[in-house]
Amino acid sequence: MPARTRPAAPTAMEVMEEEAHNILPGLQFNEPLSWRAGRPIAIADLLQRLQALSREMREMEQEENERDSFTKVAKELASPNLLAHKDKGVRAWTACCLVDILRLCAPDAPYTGPQLRDIFTLLVTGILPALSDPSNAYNSQHMYVLQSLAQVKSIVLLTDIPSSESLILHLFVSFFDMLSGSSRATTGEQLAKNVEFNLTAILEILVDESTSLPPEVIDIIMAQFLRADPHVVSSNGSKSKRHGIAAVDEKQSTLVLKELPPAYNMAKSICNSCTDKMARYVSQYFNDVIMDASATSAVDGVPKNRSHRRSSLGLDDSDEEVTNGPTEDDMKELHKAHRLLRELWRASPGVLQNVIPQLEAELSAENVQLRLLATESLGDIVSGIGAAGPPLPPSMDPAAYPPRTITAYTQSTRVENLLTTPCSPQPFPHTHPGAYSNFLGRRQDKSALIRSAWTTGIGRILTTSAGGVGLSQHEEERLVSDLARMLGDGDEKVRIAAVKAVGDFDFRDAIFKLGSSGGISKPGSLLGTLAERVRDRKHAVRVEAMRVLGRIWGVGAGEIAAGEDQVMSLIGDAPSKILDTFYTNDMEINVLLDHVLFELLLPLSYPPIKSKGSKTTNGNSQRVKDSQTNGEPDAGDVNPDKLRTERVLVLVKNLDEKAKRVFFALQARQVTMAKILATYLKRCENYNGGVMDENEKDIKAHLTRLIDNFARQLPDPARVTADLWKFAKMHDRRSYQLIRFCIAPESDYRTVFKAIKEFSKRIEAAPGAPAGMLETLTPLLYRSSVLVYNKSHVPAIMEFSRNDEHILSGTAHEVLKEISSKTPEVFKAHIQELCKVIEEQAPKAKKSNEAGAVDTLKACAGFARKFPQDLPKDRKFLQSLTEFALHGTPAQAAKHAVSIIMAVAERKEMHAKDLVQRGIKEFKYGSGNFLSQLATLSQLVLLAPREVDEESDAVVDIAINQILLKVRSPSKDSEYEWQDKVDDECEAKMWALKVLVNRLRSHNDPESLAEIAKPVHRLLKVLITEDGELSKAKDTPSPHKPHLRLLAAQLYLKLCTNKIFNEFLTPLDFNHLALVAQDVLPQVRLGFINKLKKYLGQNKLPQRFYTIIFLLAFDPQSHFREDTLTWIRSRSAFFAQQKSTVMESVFARLLSLLAHHPDYGTSADDLLDSARYIMFFLKPVATEQNLSLIYHIAQRVKQKRDAISSDMSENLYHLSDLAQAIIRRYEEVHGWSLQTFPQNLRLPSELFATISNDELAQEIARTKYLPEGLEERLETLVKAKAKTKIKKRKSDEHDDAPAKKKSKSATTTTPSASTAASK
């Protein structure tokens, strides 16, 4: 059978099977779902049918079923009978079936527009909001509807419904309400994460697919970001529910969040997924809010309608007025809008691409409030700071232990708040360079308010590293430089803002960021400029600067103690800068200094631990090793007293000389203040709260004097007086006792600390105490309490002095010396230990002592002067002291050993004779201990003159013939130069001078005193006038001469503290002595002037010695010059309080001194130099009240002749006319009124003599001695010098270098021949 060449035709059966295979399956459900009116289907049956329909449709796939089979069911499901059914279950299952119909029939829904509206009304208003209650019986059906709408995206049909804005708005409101918890069920059950995900997906679809969204929807989305704004969530309350901001939910009740609120995340997701569309909406939103509120006038006189936007931000509608600028309500709205901007940048920076230019435009607005708002907002945006504001300031506790380190420093201890953690998703400077550049330009804004806000913003940018994205090195250096400039801004508000910005840096950033421009000692650096602000002319700036600087150093003190070079180089000078403010002599600064010293530099509570065994029986009998506690646990073997002592020593070690003098002066003041305060307490007890039985008048008078004394030391004397009287009337005996604990030298530190704490609490809680009483009493308590020189610190100081731990040995010895001289009482508990140390370190003839022994001996000597009975008197101790007196090194050790022996030995005469005889018998220049023998002799002639008198000829022979008049290393034609370390020959001559002077000081016979004193005075005079040269051969080595000249001048001052010796100093010799203040070597000048200030400050020298101070007008060291001016002001203020005219009367002596100055001349240039001396006097001394007296003195000088040399009288007349001319111009510059002085002041008779010829006196009075043209130059000089702060200029040649004719300070070479001749 042949094969077929084509296929056979299909059979009929095969055709029928193929057609059946190609027919799509349809919906099998055929039960009715609708009914006629009055014949409803039973709910149970209806639920059963809907469930069956839903199960069948869930199994069906899209495009695999016959669409026509759904027509009948679709129509029935959209009937009002089901959509509006009263049963929740029916509505829930109907919704499930409806979303399946929309899924299976997509993309063309089998419904008309009205039907879709009814369907989505059910879904939007009934089904989806029910998801807020997870415990709902039909929650699974609600979930199914949600998932279908999100996954199939059938929610997009909502946008096709005409006028669907209300449904879309309702959908957004309900969704955000669900996530915020405002519509949550009473059970409080949390929504599942998949619900949150699908809700977000639906809203994203609507935003993406809608051609436009209602403005209210944008309001709702934006409102979610205000959840991060504590101002809104705390103030709006229920009013914000309609905008999706409900009452604060549990997760943000404290605003310390670990994760963002779900509603916030949903809004953030919408913005990030639909960035382009949302950018347009957001731009329009802020255009309505910002531009409307920023409008300066209304259109056609009709106010713009801003009620909608105001409502969207939670503001009430109110009557609006046509104004020329933003109203108060406008500004509130603007503030909220700008806080929203900050948060939007953190959440979705892309949506702000069209808003940033609007914000940039605000930077140039004429209205200051708008510029301020824009500046603040841009600063926070760059910093990544949102609506919740900046993070909390870092913990910078100077009392923390263990102290912070820059290597192990972390911020993990800080409680992180997700809303306040800075976060910038994009680097703003790169994304919007134009706006950033414009923002940086606000540094030069004319408004100080704007510059302040800009400064704060710059600080935040630096602290947050631009929101965490980081800054380039160049950009960081630029911002640090800008911040440094703001510290020097002309407006105090800007300077305060800059200081506060610096205070917001943590320790590590302060070192690595702020320190990048240099440390405190570097001029122009940020830290250096900050240090300058502690002396700012405005008190508010000083307060902030001193506290910030003190806190930085306090936190870094541990690193400084550990020897961290970087920290030391950057902030090591901070305490010096702070303590230097004491020289301003301002009472407010001094009070601030007290607080900073004991709250930041040396915090009372440092360290916040307690040592073992710190329990005590009572507050007044505690062991020395006890320390304070703040409730912290014990710290094992850590010794709190040693840690605190180390902090004190570290502070002192790094102080410069000026600051160190202040620190030690403050501790010396404590002794005096404690005595005055103790007297005040005693008078308060006598006052008895105002109830006195006798001596009422005397008690009140005594109390008044004490209170007036305290009031003069503190600002606001009236308030201080009132507070101290109130404290006396309170008559709180416990407070009296607590203060006595604080000031008692026998109190250990723990006692003092606890007493201060309890006293503060008692005053704060006292019912009758005024609000500011504690503020008044605290500085007095700080100044009088034994907080530094405390007996608890002595063992640690002694330990540091012996082992040199942290290289603090030298400082420990220095502090021991100060304690011994100022408060030796604190040694009482440890004097035996101190004496044992001396015994152990005693030298022998062939064995030297330790270098630190001299400080230990000095400390013991200071104690022995006040409490000789408390030192041991045993043979071993006295023998050790004798060994020190004969063999101690350096020679000062021998001096102090002799002082102790003469204070404590029961047989002083025997010991003195023995030491004198051994010293003279064994003395041989160059022997091993000859310097110690000289030191011993110098001290013995002072303390045991009768015992030495028997050998006085031998002692004088050693001093003069064997030491002073011999030159063992001759050096002719050598220069006059300084060397810090002197050789043995020079030191021997210095001790020999002290031997001779001490012999004078101890001489008790007035009749023979003149004979003994004349050769010594002559010797000292030669050393002073011949620049330290004694040898006739002029071959004294150059390094010896300045040391000998300085010592001779200082010994002259010491002798003149005795009235008898002062009378030996003639006016001419006084003038020679005064010229030491203009020595060519700064070491000589400073050494002489500092000694002079010391004696004058102690009121030991006659008032004529104040004249010498004013010769520093031409000192080339400007800082020394300025410090001297400050000192003079302080003394002038002191005398003014005493109603004394000491400083004013010195002016006549100054004119006499200038008339006899070797460089005096009568040419215009020379007189201009003299004018600078007069201005140097007027600047710190002259006031409106005393200027007439000074002018009167200048006039009186012209009525006298020179008593020293009548040939010099004309010099006085030139200077008199010069002084009068200067004073008149000084009066004009200050706007004062010069009155005629009513009295006729007497001038010093030893300097000024009466003119016997009346005609000559009248001729002198009529003669004008000033050369022509000088007065015009004087006017320029007075205007320049009379300013409070003189700017240095190159043209002011006299400020940076000595005058060309000042032979004593114009050169660093050997004094000129003319100078020597003038002597």
Side-chain angles (χ1 to χ4, degrees):
M1 183 176 181
R4 295 184 179 179
T5 57
R6 61 180 179 180
T11 63
M13 183 59 68
E14 291 174 341
V15 171
M16 292 178 63
E17 290 177 356
E18 183 176 352
E19 290 178 354
H21 180 74
N22 291 334
I23 296 175
L24 295 176
L27 183 66
Q28 301 301 314
F29 180 83
N30 59 2
E31 296 185 59
L33 296 175
S34 62
W35 59 89
R36 291 194 299 271
R39 302 185 62 182
I41 302 174
I43 293 177
D45 294 338
L46 188 57
L47 285 174
Q48 184 178 5
R49 295 175 188 179
L50 289 171
Q51 291 171 8
L53 175 60
S54 178
R55 284 194 296 270
E56 182 178 355
M57 286 194 294
R58 286 187 189 187
E59 301 298 328
M60 302 175 72
E61 297 293 335
Q62 192 178 16
E63 299 180 356
E64 294 183 4
N65 299 280
E66 177 59 43
R67 293 172 58 90
D68 294 339
S69 62
F70 301 113
T71 302
K72 178 176 177 296
V73 173
K75 181 178 179 181
E76 291 181 328
L77 289 172
S79 67
N81 292 337
L82 293 179
L83 295 178
H85 201 281
K86 62 181 181 180
D87 185 74
K88 295 180 181 179
V90 171
R91 295 198 303 272
W93 283 106
T94 300
C96 291
C97 296
L98 284 170
V99 296
D100 279 332
I101 292 292
L102 296 178
R103 173 177 63 86
L104 295 173
C105 296
D108 299 319
Y111 296 112
T112 63
Q115 288 177 318
L116 283 175
R117 168 176 289 279
D118 294 339
I119 292 171
F120 277 100
T121 297
L122 169 65
L123 299 179
V124 170
T125 61
I127 302 302
L128 295 178
L131 286 166
S132 61
D133 183 10
S135 62
N136 191 294
Y138 298 99
N139 187 62
S140 58
Q141 285 72 39
H142 303 156
M143 287 282 294
Y144 180 78
V145 171
L146 176 68
Q147 291 174 356
S148 178
L149 291 174
Q151 294 172 6
V152 180
K153 298 185 178 181
S154 51
I155 190 65
V156 75
L157 295 173
L158 182 58
T159 63
D160 296 333
I161 301 174
S163 303
S164 59
E165 289 81 1
S166 60
L167 286 176
I168 293 176
L169 177 60
H170 193 283
L171 186 68
F172 274 83
V173 170
S174 60
F175 277 19
F176 281 112
D177 281 350
M178 274 191 280
L179 290 190
S180 67
S182 61
S183 61
R184 189 172 301 164
T186 56
T187 60
E189 188 175 348
Q190 300 289 329
L191 294 178
K193 283 294 181 183
N194 62 333
V195 174
E196 181 180 341
F197 174 79
N198 287 315
L199 292 175
T200 303
I202 288 176
L203 297 188
E204 289 175 357
I205 293 170
L206 285 175
V207 173
D208 189 48
E209 296 295 336
S210 297
T211 56
S212 65
L213 289 174
E216 294 83 358
V217 170
I218 305 302
D219 293 347
I220 297 301
I221 297 174
M222 294 297 100
Q224 306 315 308
F225 295 104
L226 291 177
R227 293 181 176 280
D229 188 352
H231 300 85
V232 174
V233 298
S234 62
S235 61
N236 284 347
S238 60
K239 181 171 58 178
S240 302
K241 288 185 179 181
R242 64 183 184 273
H243 309 301
I245 304 181
V248 183
D249 61 12
E250 292 86 346
K251 284 189 177 181
Q252 65 182 85
S253 59
T254 61
L255 286 181
V256 180
L257 306 181
K258 295 182 179 179
E259 60 181 16
L260 291 169
Y264 180 102
N265 281 329
M266 184 158 69
K268 176 180 176 180
S269 179
I270 292 171
C271 290
N272 286 327
S273 62
C274 310
T275 303
D276 292 338
K277 281 199 170 186
M278 287 303 300
R280 294 197 299 273
Y281 294 136
V282 170
S283 176
Q284 184 60 44
Y285 175 88
F286 279 100
N287 183 67
D288 293 344
V289 175
I290 298 176
M291 294 305 177
D292 285 358
S294 303
T296 57
S297 61
V299 179
D300 297 329
V302 180
K304 296 184 179 182
N305 183 6
R306 296 190 285 269
S307 60
H308 164 65
R309 292 302 178 192
R310 181 176 291 105
S311 175
S312 72
L313 291 177
L315 292 172
D316 292 331
D317 295 333
S318 60
D319 295 335
E320 300 183 7
E321 298 178 358
V322 180
T323 63
N324 292 326
T327 64
E328 182 179 352
D329 286 343
D330 288 335
M331 290 310 302
K332 288 181 180 179
E333 186 175 355
L334 280 171
H335 275 288
K336 292 185 179 181
H338 283 75
R339 290 197 297 270
L340 179 57
L341 272 179
R342 296 167 167 87
E343 196 60 37
L344 274 175
W345 177 263
R346 285 163 48 90
S348 180
V351 302
L352 296 180
Q353 54 188 294
N354 299 325
V355 180
I356 297 300
Q358 299 178 27
L359 192 60
E360 182 182 356
E362 284 187 5
L363 288 173
S364 304
E366 286 295 327
N367 187 281
V368 174
Q369 292 177 309
L370 296 180
R371 290 207 313 280
L372 174 63
L373 204 51
T375 303
E376 292 174 338
S377 299
L378 276 174
D380 285 351
I381 286 172
V382 179
S383 305
I385 295 173
L392 293 175
S395 175
M396 294 276 283
D397 184 9
Y401 185 83
R404 294 283 177 83
T405 63
I406 56 175
T407 54
Y409 177 79
T410 63
Q411 297 182 350
S412 58
T413 56
R414 195 189 309 174
V415 178
E416 295 293 345
N417 184 336
L418 196 60
L419 295 179
T420 58
T421 301
C423 176
S424 180
Q426 298 177 2
F428 187 90
H430 297 162
T431 308
H432 301 282
Y436 182 66
S437 177
N438 198 348
F439 166 74
L440 293 181
R442 289 302 96 197
R443 179 175 66 85
Q444 299 178 334
D445 196 285
K446 62 183 178 181
S447 170
L449 202 61
I450 306 300
R451 298 198 304 277
S452 299
W454 184 88
T455 301
T456 302
I458 289 299
R460 290 176 178 178
I461 293 172
L462 284 168
T463 56
T464 63
S465 295
V469 299
L471 292 166
S472 66
Q473 183 177 356
H474 171 74
E475 185 64 22
E476 185 174 290
E477 290 175 354
R478 175 185 177 181
L479 295 180
V480 170
S481 176
D482 287 341
L483 187 56
R485 290 193 188 97
M486 294 297 100
L487 284 168
D489 191 89
D491 191 278
E492 66 173 303
K493 294 189 291 293
V494 181
R495 299 197 299 276
I496 291 176
V499 174
K500 288 183 177 180
V502 173
D504 287 337
F505 283 75
D506 59 40
F507 178 59
R508 181 180 177 85
D509 284 345
I511 297 301
F512 289 109
K513 291 182 179 179
L514 302 183
S516 61
S517 61
I520 288 174
S521 57
K522 181 180 178 181
S525 67
L526 187 143
L527 293 175
T529 310
L530 174 66
E532 293 174 1
R533 297 281 66 77
V534 301
R535 301 181 70 139
D536 196 277
R537 61 184 181 274
K538 296 294 185 179
H539 182 65
V541 183
R542 295 195 297 262
V543 171
E544 289 294 333
M546 204 177 290
R547 290 191 179 279
V548 169
L549 196 63
R551 185 174 293 106
I552 292 175
W553 188 90
V555 173
E559 287 287 67
I560 294 175
E564 178 59 48
D565 292 337
Q566 183 178 12
V567 178
M568 178 62 210
S569 63
L570 292 177
I571 64 173
D573 292 334
S576 294
K577 298 294 184 181
I578 292 172
L579 289 171
D580 280 350
T581 59
F582 185 78
Y583 289 102
T584 59
N585 200 32
D586 183 282
M587 288 185 288
E588 288 184 334
I589 292 181
N590 291 343
V591 170
L592 177 60
L593 180 60
D594 295 329
H595 285 281
V596 172
L597 183 60
F598 294 114
E599 294 169 11
L600 298 174
L601 299 179
L602 303 173
L604 297 180
S605 59
Y606 177 82
I609 54 178
K610 60 181 179 180
S611 58
K612 292 182 178 179
S614 61
K615 294 182 180 180
T616 57
T617 56
N618 59 63
N620 196 30
S621 60
Q622 295 157 1
R623 288 174 289 185
V624 173
K625 66 181 180 180
D626 289 346
S627 180
Q628 86 283 7
T629 174
N630 271 0
E632 298 292 334
D634 290 350
D637 296 330
V638 174
N639 183 349
D641 293 325
K642 183 177 180 181
L643 290 175
R644 195 181 316 106
T645 303
E646 180 187 51
R647 173 73 73 92
V648 173
L649 296 179
V650 168
L651 175 73
V652 175
K653 177 184 176 183
N654 297 301
L655 294 176
D656 59 30
E657 286 304 316
K658 281 179 55 184
K660 192 175 293 185
R661 288 197 297 271
V662 172
F663 182 81
F664 289 144
L666 294 179
Q667 310 320 312
R669 181 185 65 181
Q670 180 271 326
V671 180
T672 305
M673 288 293 298
K675 292 178 181 178
I676 298 175
L677 194 57
T679 306
Y680 170 71
L681 295 179
K682 185 177 180 180
R683 298 303 179 194
C684 286
E685 290 175 330
N686 295 338
Y687 185 66
N688 195 32
V691 181
M692 293 156 283
D693 296 332
E694 56 184 13
N695 299 326
E696 179 178 349
K697 185 177 180 180
D698 291 341
I699 292 172
K700 286 185 176 181
H702 291 160
L703 197 55
T704 299
R705 287 197 295 271
L706 289 168
I707 290 176
D708 289 345
N709 178 57
F710 285 131
R712 287 194 295 268
Q713 301 178 44
L714 298 175
D716 196 355
R719 194 191 74 176
V720 173
T721 301
D723 288 343
L724 292 178
W725 274 111
K726 185 66 177 179
F727 179 76
K729 291 176 181 178
M730 288 169 55
H731 197 49
D732 183 2
R733 295 185 180 276
R734 178 58 181 170
S735 294
Y736 297 163
Q737 185 58 42
L738 291 173
I739 294 177
R740 288 191 171 103
F741 285 154
C742 293
I743 65 179
E746 60 271 15
S747 294
D748 60 25
Y749 191 86
R750 176 176 169 80
T751 302
V752 177
F753 174 71
K754 292 180 68 177
I756 291 176
K757 284 185 64 177
E758 183 181 345
F759 178 80
S760 300
K761 291 179 180 178
R762 287 186 70 86
I763 297 300
E764 287 179 339
M773 178 180 287
L774 184 60
E775 184 180 346
T776 298
L777 294 175
T778 298
L780 297 178
L781 204 56
Y782 284 164
R783 295 177 185 183
S784 55
S785 299
V786 283
L787 294 170
V788 178
Y789 293 169
N790 188 279
K791 73 175 187 177
S792 298
H793 299 157
V794 173
I797 296 175
M798 295 172 63
E799 181 181 346
F800 278 111
S801 69
R802 291 196 296 268
N803 59 26
D804 201 24
E805 186 178 347
H806 295 311
I807 321 179
L808 294 173
S809 175
T811 306
H813 281 297
E814 191 174 6
V815 173
L816 279 176
K817 287 191 299 183
E818 288 293 324
I819 294 177
S820 66
S821 61
K822 302 299 189 304
T823 55
E825 297 88 349
V826 302
F827 276 125
K828 282 189 176 181
H830 309 283
I831 193 62
Q832 299 298 329
E833 182 181 354
L834 199 65
C835 293
K836 287 181 181 179
V837 172
I838 292 174
E839 292 177 4
E840 294 170 359
Q841 296 181 349
K844 300 293 182 184
K846 296 183 179 179
K847 174 192 170 186
S848 60
N849 54 272
E850 296 181 7
V854 63
D855 295 314
T856 306
L857 284 165
K858 184 171 184 179
C860 190
F863 183 84
R865 279 193 292 270
K866 289 191 175 182
F867 308 101
Q869 70 279 3
D870 292 331
L871 268 75
K873 299 174 176 60
D874 58 277
R875 183 175 180 277
K876 182 179 179 181
F877 179 60
L878 293 174
Q879 182 60 37
S880 299
L881 293 174
T882 302
E883 295 296 338
F884 271 109
L886 297 174
H887 310 295
T889 55
Q892 283 83 356
K895 169 189 171 183
H896 299 313
V898 172
S899 298
I900 300 173
I901 292 174
M902 292 296 102
V904 304
E906 294 177 348
R907 303 175 64 184
K908 298 180 178 62
E909 298 81 2
M910 182 193 73
H911 288 284
K913 287 182 179 180
D914 179 61
L915 288 173
V916 170
Q917 291 173 359
R918 293 180 64 176
I920 295 173
K921 181 179 179 181
E922 299 174 6
F923 183 81
K924 180 180 179 182
Y925 182 89
S927 64
N929 303 306
F930 80 103
L931 292 175
S932 300
Q933 293 167 351
L934 281 172
T936 296
L937 290 175
S938 74
Q939 199 68 0
L940 285 171
V941 297
L942 179 66
L943 301 178
R946 286 188 298 177
E947 287 72 23
V948 179
D949 191 53
E950 299 176 3
E951 304 289 344
S952 60
D953 292 340
V955 172
V956 173
D957 179 70
I958 290 174
I960 297 179
N961 297 325
Q962 297 187 41
I963 303 297
L964 287 172
L965 297 183
K966 285 191 176 181
V967 180
R968 291 176 170 82
S969 52
S971 176
K972 288 191 175 183
D973 301 326
S974 59
E975 293 184 353
Y976 185 75
E977 61 182 7
W978 180 272
Q979 289 183 5
D980 290 330
K981 185 174 177 59
V982 298
D983 58 21
D984 288 349
E985 181 182 359
C986 182
E987 187 175 356
K989 290 184 177 182
M990 295 170 72
W991 283 115
L993 283 174
K994 292 177 182 178
V995 169
L996 298 176
V997 171
N998 284 346
R999 183 166 173 260
L1000 285 183
R1001 294 171 61 199
S1002 62
H1003 194 80
N1004 296 322
D1005 185 6
E1007 296 180 359
S1008 60
L1009 180 60
E1011 182 181 353
I1012 297 175
K1014 284 181 180 179
V1016 178
H1017 272 271
R1018 187 164 55 249
L1019 178 67
L1020 295 177
K1021 178 181 176 181
V1022 171
L1023 285 173
I1024 290 172
T1025 57
E1026 297 299 328
D1027 301 313
E1029 181 64 79
L1030 270 179
S1031 172
K1032 294 181 179 180
K1034 307 294 183 183
D1035 56 356
T1036 300
S1038 59
H1040 294 188
K1041 291 188 286 188
H1043 283 282
L1044 293 174
R1045 188 183 196 219
L1046 173 60
L1047 180 61
Q1050 291 176 332
L1051 292 175
Y1052 236 141
L1053 295 177
K1054 181 171 288 188
L1055 284 173
C1056 289
T1057 58
N1058 187 316
K1059 183 180 179 181
I1060 297 176
F1061 295 115
N1062 178 59
E1063 293 175 354
F1064 291 156
L1065 187 64
T1066 66
L1068 190 59
D1069 291 339
F1070 177 86
N1071 292 345
H1072 292 153
L1073 176 65
L1075 292 177
V1076 179
Q1078 292 185 326
D1079 193 278
V1080 297
L1081 295 176
Q1083 294 87 350
V1084 177
R1085 297 197 303 272
L1086 267 65
F1088 176 66
I1089 292 297
N1090 287 336
K1091 183 69 72 173
L1092 178 61
K1093 288 180 182 177
K1094 174 185 174 182
Y1095 290 147
L1096 287 173
Q1098 295 171 346
N1099 295 320
K1100 291 183 177 181
L1101 286 172
Q1103 67 183 49
R1104 65 169 171 165
F1105 282 89
Y1106 280 99
T1107 314
I1108 301 175
I1109 297 291
F1110 297 101
L1111 291 184
L1112 295 182
F1114 286 90
D1115 197 279
Q1117 294 183 306
S1118 59
H1119 66 278
F1120 182 53
R1121 211 167 54 236
E1122 293 301 321
D1123 291 345
T1124 302
L1125 281 173
T1126 303
W1127 184 87
I1128 297 172
R1129 290 190 188 97
S1130 174
R1131 298 304 297 167
S1132 299
F1134 169 78
F1135 287 120
Q1137 289 180 354
Q1138 304 297 321
K1139 301 187 183 304
S1140 171
T1141 59
V1142 169
M1143 297 304 289
E1144 294 85 351
S1145 60
V1146 166
F1147 189 56
R1149 295 182 178 275
L1150 175 61
L1151 295 181
S1152 174
L1153 179 59
L1154 294 178
H1156 290 268
H1157 195 281
D1159 295 327
Y1160 176 80
T1162 57
S1163 68
D1165 289 339
D1166 289 333
L1167 288 175
L1168 199 62
D1169 288 342
S1170 298
R1172 294 180 183 274
Y1173 287 111
I1174 296 173
M1175 284 300 303
F1176 193 75
F1177 173 89
L1178 293 176
K1179 189 174 180 181
V1181 175
T1183 64
E1184 186 174 8
Q1185 290 72 32
N1186 67 9
L1187 191 65
S1188 59
L1189 172 57
I1190 299 173
Y1191 187 76
H1192 173 73
I1193 292 172
Q1195 289 178 318
R1196 290 280 292 156
V1197 167
K1198 199 173 181 181
Q1199 301 168 9
K1200 300 288 183 178
R1201 63 178 177 84
D1202 196 314
I1204 300 175
S1205 173
S1206 58
D1207 296 337
M1208 295 281 192
S1209 295
E1210 195 164 313
N1211 292 356
L1212 287 177
Y1213 306 149
H1214 278 88
L1215 290 170
S1216 174
D1217 281 356
L1218 180 68
Q1220 293 178 58
I1222 291 174
I1223 292 172
R1224 287 193 298 268
R1225 280 153 183 79
Y1226 196 82
E1227 170 208 11
E1228 294 172 0
V1229 168
H1230 287 84
W1232 296 341
S1233 177
L1234 192 61
Q1235 304 295 327
T1236 301
F1237 191 72
Q1239 301 175 12
N1240 197 8
L1241 191 72
R1242 294 183 60 184
L1243 299 184
S1245 59
E1246 71 272 16
L1247 299 179
F1248 302 95
T1250 304
I1251 302 175
S1252 56
N1253 190 327
D1254 293 340
E1255 293 181 0
L1256 178 60
Q1258 292 177 5
E1259 182 182 351
I1260 292 172
R1262 289 192 299 267
T1263 305
K1264 294 183 178 180
Y1265 289 89
L1266 296 184
E1268 294 184 4
L1270 179 61
E1271 294 198 10
E1272 290 75 10
R1273 299 175 66 181
L1274 287 178
E1275 185 173 358
T1276 303
L1277 173 68
V1278 172
K1279 286 182 178 179
K1281 293 292 182 181
K1283 295 178 182 177
T1284 303
K1285 186 176 181 181
I1286 303 172
K1287 295 183 178 179
K1288 290 188 176 181
R1289 300 173 305 222
K1290 292 183 179 179
S1291 60
D1292 195 353
E1293 67 277 6
H1294 296 284
D1295 280 356
D1296 296 321
K1300 61 181 181 180
K1301 296 184 66 177
K1302 298 299 173 286
S1303 59
K1304 277 294 177 182
S1305 57
T1307 175
T1308 57
T1309 61
T1310 304
S1312 62
S1314 63
T1315 306
S1318 69
K1319 298 175 183 178

